[in-house]
């Protein structure tokens, strides 16, 4: 009964205007929020066990009686993974009627993960998006322009749903070349701009050369950004850059930055967060359970992101607790200016080029304000380096349109580096993709390039 009252209070708050919603939700005590989370978790768990063939079979095989489970941790070593989504397909996870879908290639596999949702869920996430944008300062007289890629990606849909509740002017430009965006939208003089971090960095280069107009803030999502790059963008526009953290699987934001820019205030209304395999410092893999999904809920989904849960209050005074800044990925998928890249991309590229050795490695580094993707290939003849690089770029243009589009926009640079045969492995299993920007452990020793 108590949880039902709390949920009714939450629904009423989210349907109020953003200013009143912030006050009402801020007045909700922590014990009440936790009671609502537990009730929603049990409902979601029972729904998944009853209607999802994947969860029903997994719980049966493991001897899990969901009627006895009160907290996600009581599920022991059971988790849902991205590989489960790819292998079984979305139909195995469905518990209700779906009327829309999105895909993600944020994986080490060439097979995308497909996620199904309902328009009602889009609408509900839009309310929460509107609430957060209001906290950041968006008002009805603002002009919002989005450069989010609309191809199978959930972010533009969630943003569009959010601005409907803010009643502000909105233009969806899509992910076009930043220089073209600058020329075309300067007449609109947007006060808030949305886009991917590497894209926003390129836009800022055009603005630096040709002039800026007043903006309240820029909002970035889809990949990480270095603090030096963030500060450069903020210097150009004289406005802050805020980051969103989310996944297609989560259907939008798991959390978003406030004006303190110190971690992501998490969406505890819609998710139950855990950290698994935590180090003494508290850092481990983020795991989340959806609490407000009635089409394709996910139970203890492994995000593959390394972070921690921050329980201490934020200096901004906002009630929501935080997810710390993402330190690294558990797998070899790397998010950079090129896009979401994994070993499979370069396996296909290298396989298409004659005359190169079997071993190769991709290293993502950062120089100046741009990501550099180095494809290190073992070659017996270093003079072929330029020829191989041209072949790699040609294949990239033909086979991977999205990656090539980002290359043409200057969101990253790609280099082929010739390495001596048998120099990459160093007696160990070769890690195919390495993100040197986010290394948590001792930096790996890489062979010197051939002269």
């Amino acid at each position: 009964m108590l949880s039902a009252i709390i949920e009714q209070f939450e629904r009423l708050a989210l349907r109020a205007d953003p200013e009143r919603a912030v006050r009402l939700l801020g007045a909700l005590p922590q014990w009440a929020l936790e009671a609502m989370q537990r009730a929603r978790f049990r409902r979601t768990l029972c729904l998944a066990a009853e209607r999802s063939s994947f969860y029903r079979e997994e719980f049966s095989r493991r001897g899990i009686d969901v009627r006895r489970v009160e907290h996600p941790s009581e599920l022991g070593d059971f988790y849902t993974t991205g590989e489960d989504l790819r292998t079984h397909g979305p139909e195995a996870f469905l518990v209700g009627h779906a009327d829309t879908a999105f895909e993600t290639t944020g994986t080490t596999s060439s097979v995308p993960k497909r996620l199904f949702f309902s328009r009602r869920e889009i609408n509900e996430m839009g309310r929460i998006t509107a609430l957060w944008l209001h906290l950041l300062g968006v008002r009805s007289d603002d002009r919002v322009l989005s450069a989010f890629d609309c191809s199978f990606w959930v972010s533009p849909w969630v943003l569009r749903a959010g601005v409907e509740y803010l009643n502000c002017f909105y233009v969806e430009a899509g992910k076009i070349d930043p220089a073209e965006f600058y020329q075309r939208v300067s007449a609109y003089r947007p006060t808030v701009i949305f886009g991917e971090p590497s894209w926003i960095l390129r836009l800022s280069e055009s603005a630096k050369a040709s002039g800026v107009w007043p903006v309240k803030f820029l909002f970035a999502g889809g990949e990480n950004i270095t603090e030096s790059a963030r500060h450069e963008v903020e210097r150009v526009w004289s406005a802050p850059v805020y980051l969103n953290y989310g996944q297609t699987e989560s259907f939008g934001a798991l959390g978003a930055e406030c004006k303190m820019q110190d971690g992501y205030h998490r969406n505890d209304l819609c998710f139950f967060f855990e950290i698994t395999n935590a180090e003494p410092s508290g850092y481990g893999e983020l795991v989340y359970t959806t609490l407000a999904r009635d089409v394709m809920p996910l139970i203890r989904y492994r995000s593959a992101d390394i972070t921690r849960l921050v329980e201490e209050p934020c200096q901004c005074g906002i009630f929501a607790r935080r997810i710390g800044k993402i330190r690294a990925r558990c797998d070899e998928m790397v998010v950079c200016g090129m896009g979401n890249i994994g070993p499979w991309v370069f396996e296909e590229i290298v396989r298409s080029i004659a005359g190169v050795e079997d071993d190769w490695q991709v290293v993502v580094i950062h120089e100046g304000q741009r990501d550099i993707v180095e494809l290190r290939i073992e070659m017996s003849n270093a003079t072929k380096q330029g020829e191989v690089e041209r072949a790699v770029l040609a294949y990239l243009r033909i086979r991977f349109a999205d990656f090539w589009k980002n290359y043409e926009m200057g969101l990253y640079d790609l280099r082929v580096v010739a390495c001596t045969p048998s120099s990459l492995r160093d007696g160990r299993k070769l890690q195919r993709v390495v993100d040197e920007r986010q290394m948590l452990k001792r930096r790996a020793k890489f062979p010197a390039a051939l002269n």
Side-chain angles (χ1 to χ4, degrees):
M1 176 66 71
L2 178 61
S3 62
I5 294 173
I6 296 170
E7 284 199 56
Q8 182 64 23
F9 176 84
E10 178 246 353
R11 282 194 291 269
L12 290 173
L14 288 179
R15 281 159 177 75
D17 65 86
E19 192 72 42
R20 185 162 179 259
V22 170
R23 292 198 304 271
L24 290 173
L25 292 173
L28 193 67
Q30 187 61 37
W31 63 264
L33 176 60
E34 291 173 356
M36 184 182 68
Q37 283 184 306
R38 287 193 297 271
R40 285 186 169 183
F41 167 70
R42 282 194 46 76
R43 183 177 62 208
T44 300
L45 185 65
C46 291
L47 185 65
E50 177 186 352
R51 300 184 184 179
S52 160
S53 61
F54 172 81
Y55 288 117
R56 182 171 59 248
E57 292 167 8
E58 281 294 310
F59 293 156
S60 175
R61 183 174 66 84
R62 293 167 177 266
I64 296 174
D65 184 354
V66 298
R67 294 171 299 179
R68 299 178 179 271
V69 177
E70 300 286 341
H71 189 278
S73 63
E74 295 175 14
L75 292 171
D77 63 354
F78 172 77
Y79 298 96
T80 306
T81 68
E83 187 60 31
D84 292 330
L85 296 180
R86 288 193 298 269
T87 302
H88 296 275
E91 291 80 8
F93 295 84
L94 288 181
V95 302
H97 175 68
D99 53 29
T100 188
F102 302 94
E103 293 186 4
T104 175
T105 55
T107 164
T108 54
S109 169
S110 59
V111 180
K113 290 173 283 185
R114 295 182 295 137
L115 286 302
F116 288 1
F117 307 97
S118 70
R119 291 187 178 87
R120 184 201 65 79
E121 291 170 334
I122 293 177
N123 184 58
E124 290 302 307
M125 190 59 75
R127 292 181 185 275
I128 294 175
T129 299
L131 175 66
W132 199 257
L133 293 180
H134 179 85
L135 282 170
L136 292 178
V138 177
R139 297 295 182 266
S140 60
D141 58 349
D142 278 305
R143 291 173 172 257
V144 176
L145 268 79
S146 168
F148 281 142
D149 192 343
C150 297
S151 302
F152 287 102
W153 199 23
V154 68
S155 294
W157 279 76
V158 175
L159 174 59
R160 188 184 308 147
V163 296
E164 286 184 6
Y165 289 101
L166 295 169
N167 298 315
C168 59
F169 184 87
Y170 177 65
V171 176
E172 196 169 85
K175 189 178 178 181
I176 61 177
D177 186 277
E180 180 186 356
F181 181 95
Y182 177 86
Q183 293 297 328
R184 294 177 65 174
V185 308
S186 57
Y188 294 99
R189 301 184 72 80
T191 54
V192 180
I193 299 174
F194 285 78
E196 297 170 43
S198 54
W199 184 95
I200 285 178
L201 188 60
R202 280 288 317 282
L203 174 68
S204 301
E205 292 174 359
S206 295
K208 182 179 180 180
S210 303
V212 299
W213 53 87
V215 299
K216 283 187 175 179
F217 62 84
L218 300 96
F219 197 95
E223 62 189 38
N224 290 324
I225 186 173
T226 64
E227 288 304 309
S228 61
R230 189 212 294 252
H231 294 156
E232 173 61 18
V233 173
E234 292 179 334
R235 188 189 66 79
V236 170
W237 292 96
S238 298
V241 175
Y242 299 124
L243 301 180
N244 168 79
Y245 170 57
Q247 299 181 330
T248 301
E249 297 93 319
S250 69
F251 192 46
L254 290 163
E257 286 186 331
C258 66
K259 295 180 180 181
M260 302 306 298
Q261 300 174 323
D262 186 19
Y264 307 97
H265 284 275
R266 61 190 194 242
N267 184 358
D268 286 325
L269 297 173
C270 298
F271 301 96
F272 204 124
F273 296 101
E274 302 174 84
I275 296 291
T276 187
N277 300 323
E279 300 174 349
S281 62
Y283 282 91
E285 182 181 3
L286 182 70
V287 173
Y288 58 86
T289 297
T290 63
L291 300 178
R293 295 248 287 272
D294 54 14
V295 171
M296 188 178 169
L298 296 176
I299 310 296
R300 301 193 91 195
Y301 185 75
R302 303 190 70 149
S303 70
D305 288 325
I306 301 298
T307 183
R308 70 185 182 100
L309 299 182
V310 182
E311 306 300 335
E312 298 81 11
C314 180
Q315 294 182 23
C316 72
I318 294 173
F319 62 90
R321 293 173 294 178
R322 286 169 291 160
I323 299 168
K325 292 184 178 181
I326 307 303
R327 280 192 169 184
R329 292 283 297 180
C330 296
D331 54 27
E332 288 188 281
M333 193 280 287
V334 172
V335 182
C336 62
M338 184 174 179
N340 296 341
I341 60 175
W344 68 273
V345 175
F346 299 95
E347 285 172 1
E348 181 172 333
I349 291 174
V350 172
R351 190 168 57 245
S352 71
I353 301 171
V356 302
E357 305 294 331
D358 290 335
D359 272 346
W360 55 268
Q361 187 177 61
V362 171
V363 179
V364 181
I365 60 178
H366 200 78
E367 291 183 359
Q369 302 297 332
R370 188 165 301 178
D371 288 332
I372 309 297
V373 178
E374 282 192 357
L375 175 54
R376 299 174 176 180
I377 303 178
E378 293 183 358
M379 301 182 195
S380 55
N381 184 355
T383 62
K384 290 187 175 181
Q385 178 173 324
E387 177 184 336
V388 171
E389 183 168 288
R390 288 189 292 273
V392 167
L393 291 173
Y395 191 82
L396 190 72
R397 177 177 59 82
I398 295 170
R399 174 64 179 82
F400 297 103
D402 288 342
F403 297 150
W404 180 253
K405 179 180 178 181
N406 288 351
Y407 179 80
E408 286 189 308
M409 290 184 185
L411 304 188
Y412 71 100
D413 196 11
L414 190 148
R415 302 172 183 165
V416 170
V417 178
C419 299
T420 55
S422 304
S423 62
L424 287 173
R425 285 189 179 270
D426 194 27
R428 297 166 297 166
K429 181 180 179 181
L430 179 61
Q431 185 177 354
R432 289 298 189 183
V433 181
V434 178
D435 187 355
E436 281 203 342
R437 305 165 306 169
Q438 303 287 339
M439 294 293 284
L440 286 176
K441 300 179 180 179
R442 177 180 59 86
R443 293 174 67 94
K445 295 181 180 179
F446 298 108
L450 291 174
N451 294 320

